[in-house]
Amino acid sequence: MSRIAQAFANGKAFIAFLTCGDPDIETTEQLIKTIAESGADLIELGIPFSDPTAEGPVIQAANLRAINGGATTDKIFAMVERIRPQIKIPMVFMTYANVVFGYGTERFIHKAAEVGIDGLILPDVPYEEKGDFLPACQQNGLELISLVAPTSDDRIAMIAREAEGFVYCVSSLGVTGERSKFSNHIGEVVSLVRHFTSVPTAIGFGISTPQQASDMAMLADGVIVGSAIVKLVAQYGRQAVPHAAEYVHSMKTAISEIK
Amino acid sequence: MSKGRFGIHGGQYIPETLMNAVIELEEAYNYFKDDPQFNEELTELFNEYAGRPSRLYLAKNMTRDLGGAKIYLKREDLNHTGAHKINNVLGQALLAKKMGKTRVIAETGAGQHGVAAATAATLMGLECEVFMGEEDTRRQALNVYKMRLLGAKVHPVTSGTATLKDAVSETMREWTSRIADTHYILGSVMGPHPFPIIVRDFQSVISREIKSQLLEKEGRLPDAVIACVGGGSNAIGAFYHFLNDPDVQLIGCEAAGRGVDTFETAATIATGRLGIFHGMKSYFCQDQYGQIAPVYSISAGLDYPGIGPEHAYLHDIGRAQYVPVTDDEAVEAFEYLSRTEGIIPAIESAHAVAYAMKLAPQMSKEQVIVINISGRGDKDCVSVARYRGEEISE
């Protein structure tokens, strides 16, 4: 069983997202340890990109802070390599196609696998274009995570049939960021995905409160929270670690009773 | 299976949320492009509303002064709204209307595409919102006013470098949040398939006209067609019907800003490398980690870190040639055309004029150059005056 599969093996999974290097690499390192200790089952590590077209204002600003703070792909690889022996849960990279392609696709994916990364999420690479990245992922044992959206409809079958790791179910239209309402169809989308694959499902985009997390955990195998954590980092900077720990703990508690 | 490739370039690198929207667009376009009714309506809009066909004007003074090839100017600046942008927006707005969309969104750099989109939207009764880098709203305040006058809502974009690339990103984000009633009128031959094809087809009227007008005037094809290139819509429009005429040299002029050996440049072919951004694989100005570079040009319309995928392909196979033109050269050409022919070109188009000024004297008097004057220069008078150290206010 892969590390990602294990993350979903003990009840509902809580998936936390961080932008690496926001506000600096050392804080990210502390945050990863603390978030893992506070109950996260999987961590998505965002590699900052200059023009993150799928992100709302909170994560856009985090990308900018990280780049201005000097974070680079190489520094992030080095950080993951340092921290990997202390972290038991899976870690995946979430970034944009050009960060991987611009580094050299083979070289990036090989390096990511070498430092202990388990998977890769590229929000600007749909099913039709995954051929650019999939072969290198397969060669290096990295799982390429697919996304489905409320607009995917007839595309769900083909995406789900080839899914690996987990299926990232986008909760609603639009970019990342907190919101009060989700697509009415998200339950149907998850059911449809499950019809075509046994790979676990996780819902993300806009989830910030324990109530929302528990509602979404009723529908899927896991929930993904990004902007709400990044917002704490924006607010508290280098002092964000205890705040993030408390938040992750509360979110994990909210979903842990759900069967 | 990846679609919309030009060699290795193109494709559809966009969030899953938008995939069915671009598939729907492709299906609608494939249906309507061969629909006689659609084409009849579009031709009527082109001719009666936009003022097509645009003139192919023999620039006698310039030809005499440069002493080489005969120079013709394709006068896209004479179109309604003052630029070639109207060709594409009339096509896309009509398509949006046929698709049952009630709202259009658009990015704009210099504001020409935004003004054109606002115009077409008003004409066809569509709601319109335009995203424009905050920096550009300052450089092109008059166009912001025009868009508002035409009933569009203008959103200044503050993210990133607050210029054209950020306006494109923000319009894409807006589209993912509202798709059902909204069409994204992309302004150049870029972005995910099918946009590079749709925009090219609507702009190809330029080369279709050049070909027939020049055959009538000279009984022959041109030796060279020269156009400026940002994303590359006026250039592909001017090149398209000559792609299979190998004796016609096709030249795209990129904005070199302060020079291709400086960081203040937007010359993608000269300084960029292969990448994936804004829905397409193509050449982009970027750093070693794939971070998109902040680019610079005096021209807000060419201030873009990428180039359309078909141009990238034409460069790869050597069918078209791409040359850098600096701010200095463009400003000189802006002044030169104003004084020799009494035509004030857009600063974007002045990049093409600048290269023609170098090329024409090296050619014989029997040869013919066509320069695409993609837009008029009224919008640029303030910034060119400032470039020359003169402050004027409108």
Side-chain angles (χ1 to χ4, degrees):
Chain A
M1 198 189 270
S2 77
R3 257 198 302 241
I4 293 179
Q6 280 169 30
F8 289 88
N10 308 302
K12 303 293 182 178
F14 182 76
I15 300 172
F17 170 89
L18 284 172
T19 300
C20 292
D22 171 31
D24 52 40
I25 294 278
E26 294 69 34
T27 308
T28 302
E29 209 168 324
Q30 290 303 314
L31 282 166
I32 293 170
K33 286 182 207 164
T34 311
I35 283 173
E37 285 161 10
S38 306
D41 299 289
L42 191 156
I43 298 180
E44 283 180 14
L45 296 173
I47 302 180
F49 180 49
S50 52
D51 300 82
T53 48
E55 313 296 348
V58 170
I59 298 181
Q60 278 180 50
N63 277 267
L64 202 63
R65 283 194 300 273
I67 290 171
N68 292 341
T72 64
T73 306
D74 281 323
K75 288 182 191 170
I76 293 164
F77 280 141
M79 182 266 294
V80 174
E81 192 167 27
R82 275 197 303 278
I83 201 170
R84 182 76 259 188
Q86 307 159 53
I87 307 292
K88 299 216 162 48
I89 60 173
M91 292 191 280
V92 302
F93 276 146
M94 175 150 179
T95 190
Y96 286 78
N98 207 47
V99 170
V100 179
F101 189 81
Y103 194 88
T105 300
E106 305 283 326
R107 182 169 160 245
F108 179 101
I109 291 170
H110 180 77
K111 190 92 203 237
E114 203 174 67
V115 300
I117 287 292
D118 300 285
L120 182 60
I121 307 174
L122 300 171
D124 58 347
V125 177
Y127 177 86
E128 282 79 351
E129 305 296 354
K130 70 177 180 175
D132 281 352
F133 302 95
L134 191 61
C137 284
Q138 285 172 337
Q139 268 166 33
N140 290 282
L142 230 62
E143 293 184 289
L144 186 63
I145 314 293
S146 304
L147 292 93
V148 298
T151 50
S152 294
D153 301 331
D154 53 345
R155 299 171 48 78
I156 291 177
M158 71 179 184
I159 297 170
R161 279 192 189 113
E162 294 179 22
E164 41 187 56
F166 66 92
V167 179
Y168 193 131
C169 303
V170 176
S171 72
S172 35
L173 293 180
V175 291
T176 58
E178 294 176 19
R179 59 198 79 190
S180 54
K181 278 207 174 102
F182 303 104
S183 161
N184 297 328
H185 307 296
I186 187 63
E188 290 164 46
V189 169
V190 174
S191 311
L192 214 53
V193 170
R194 284 175 168 165
H195 182 76
F196 294 106
T197 181
S198 57
V199 165
T201 54
I203 301 177
F205 276 43
I207 300 168
S208 63
T209 68
Q211 183 60 51
Q212 290 173 330
S214 100
D215 291 349
M216 292 299 128
M218 305 268 267
L219 304 172
D221 306 311
V223 297
I224 306 161
V225 175
S227 294
I229 298 171
V230 171
K231 211 166 133 183
L232 290 171
V233 180
Q235 192 178 347
Y236 298 105
R238 292 180 183 83
Q239 278 72 53
V241 177
H243 299 277
E246 191 190 330
Y247 177 77
V248 169
H249 181 74
S250 72
M251 294 293 276
K252 174 67 183 175
T253 308
I255 63 169
S256 57
E257 281 124 51
I258 294 162
K259 294 286 163 228
Chain B
M1 201 38 212
S2 178
K3 283 193 288 196
R5 292 284 170 172
F6 302 92
I8 58 169
H9 307 282
Q12 296 177 302
Y13 298 87
I14 48 171
E16 171 60 23
T17 305
L18 288 175
M19 279 306 293
N20 267 327
V22 296
I23 291 167
E24 179 199 5
L25 177 62
E26 182 187 14
E27 286 168 357
Y29 179 65
N30 284 339
Y31 174 79
F32 285 111
K33 77 176 161 79
D34 300 320
D35 176 41
Q37 166 103 26
F38 180 87
N39 284 295
E40 204 174 291
E41 285 176 50
L42 184 61
T43 302
E44 171 148 349
L45 286 166
F46 274 6
N47 296 351
E48 302 304 319
Y49 188 70
R52 303 208 69 87
S54 70
R55 300 288 169 160
L56 185 70
Y57 168 74
L58 172 61
K60 288 200 191 90
N61 297 342
M62 195 177 167
T63 300
R64 194 182 317 117
D65 183 59
L66 295 172
K70 212 178 218 186
I71 297 168
Y72 279 90
L73 307 178
K74 180 58 174 166
R75 300 289 310 276
E76 290 297 300
D77 59 314
L78 295 179
N79 294 340
H80 179 45
T81 73
H84 72 291
K85 294 290 187 187
I86 194 77
N87 306 329
N88 170 43
V89 300
L90 287 173
Q92 285 201 51
L94 187 63
L95 183 60
K97 186 113 181 155
K98 299 273 180 196
M99 290 172 74
K101 306 286 178 182
T102 56
R103 175 178 178 260
V104 293
I105 54 175
E107 86 293 342
T108 197
Q112 296 303 98
H113 175 57
V115 168
T119 300
T122 288
L123 179 70
M124 297 185 210
L126 299 162
E127 200 186 324
C128 179
E129 295 185 34
V130 179
F131 294 81
M132 185 173 188
E134 196 178 41
E135 171 70 22
D136 292 335
T137 62
R138 276 194 293 271
R139 287 197 278 194
Q140 302 289 348
L142 181 62
N143 275 339
V144 175
Y145 177 76
K146 283 185 192 168
M147 286 183 265
R148 293 199 171 121
L149 183 65
L150 291 161
K153 194 169 175 192
V154 181
H155 300 278
V157 175
T158 54
S159 57
T161 51
T163 58
L164 180 55
K165 85 174 162 78
D166 310 288
V168 173
S169 297
E170 207 52 40
T171 318
M172 283 184 166
R173 291 184 186 114
E174 172 64 23
W175 203 24
T176 61
S177 70
R178 193 168 157 187
I179 300 169
D181 67 347
T182 299
H183 172 66
Y184 178 6
I185 301 189
L186 231 162
S188 195
V189 282
M190 45 157 294
H193 174 72
F195 284 107
I197 287 175
I198 292 179
V199 179
R200 176 199 69 199
D201 288 356
F202 289 142
Q203 290 296 359
S204 68
V205 65
I206 300 172
S207 49
R208 193 163 60 236
E209 288 177 5
I210 294 174
K211 208 168 193 174
S212 68
Q213 289 166 323
L214 198 68
L215 278 172
E216 198 173 295
K217 287 173 196 287
E218 298 281 340
R220 52 168 296 189
L221 296 179
D223 295 283
V225 177
I226 307 179
C228 64
V229 182
S233 72
N234 92 79
I236 211 82
F239 294 173
Y240 186 65
H241 288 283
F242 296 110
L243 287 177
N244 295 322
D245 300 311
D247 293 338
V248 180
Q249 207 187 340
L250 306 173
I251 304 166
C253 302
E254 297 193 301
R258 299 208 163 90
V260 292
D261 49 353
T262 73
F263 287 107
E264 291 174 294
T265 181
T268 307
I269 294 285
T271 67
R273 66 188 172 96
L274 193 62
I276 298 170
F277 185 48
H278 280 163
M280 57 186 175
K281 188 179 278 180
S282 186
Y283 295 110
F284 295 96
C285 300
Q286 56 185 309
D287 76 4
Q288 58 170 317
Y289 291 110
Q291 306 292 347
I292 303 302
V295 289
Y296 164 81
S297 160
I298 188 174
S299 145
L302 303 181
D303 200 355
Y304 184 73
I307 188 168
E310 191 164 8
H311 285 296
Y313 173 66
L314 293 175
H315 167 74
D316 286 356
I317 62 169
R319 177 62 191 95
Q321 183 193 344
Y322 296 85
V323 296
V325 173
T326 64
D327 282 2
D328 264 341
E329 293 168 320
V331 166
E332 244 165 66
F334 178 88
E335 293 165 341
Y336 177 81
L337 194 66
S338 301
R339 281 198 298 259
T340 52
E341 295 291 344
I343 294 169
I344 305 174
I347 191 68
E348 289 79 13
S349 324
H351 286 73
V353 175
Y355 191 73
M357 288 163 65
K358 289 190 217 173
L359 185 65
Q362 302 166 25
M363 293 168 71
S364 77
K365 293 188 175 175
E366 288 69 47
Q367 291 182 296
V368 173
I369 291 177
V370 175
I371 311 172
N372 197 31
I373 305 298
S374 55
R376 54 190 287 160
D378 308 47
K379 67 181 178 58
D380 301 305
C381 289
V382 173
S383 62
V384 171
R386 187 176 304 129
Y387 192 84
R388 292 299 192 205
E390 190 182 337
E391 284 299 326
I392 53 171
S393 57
E394 286 166 299

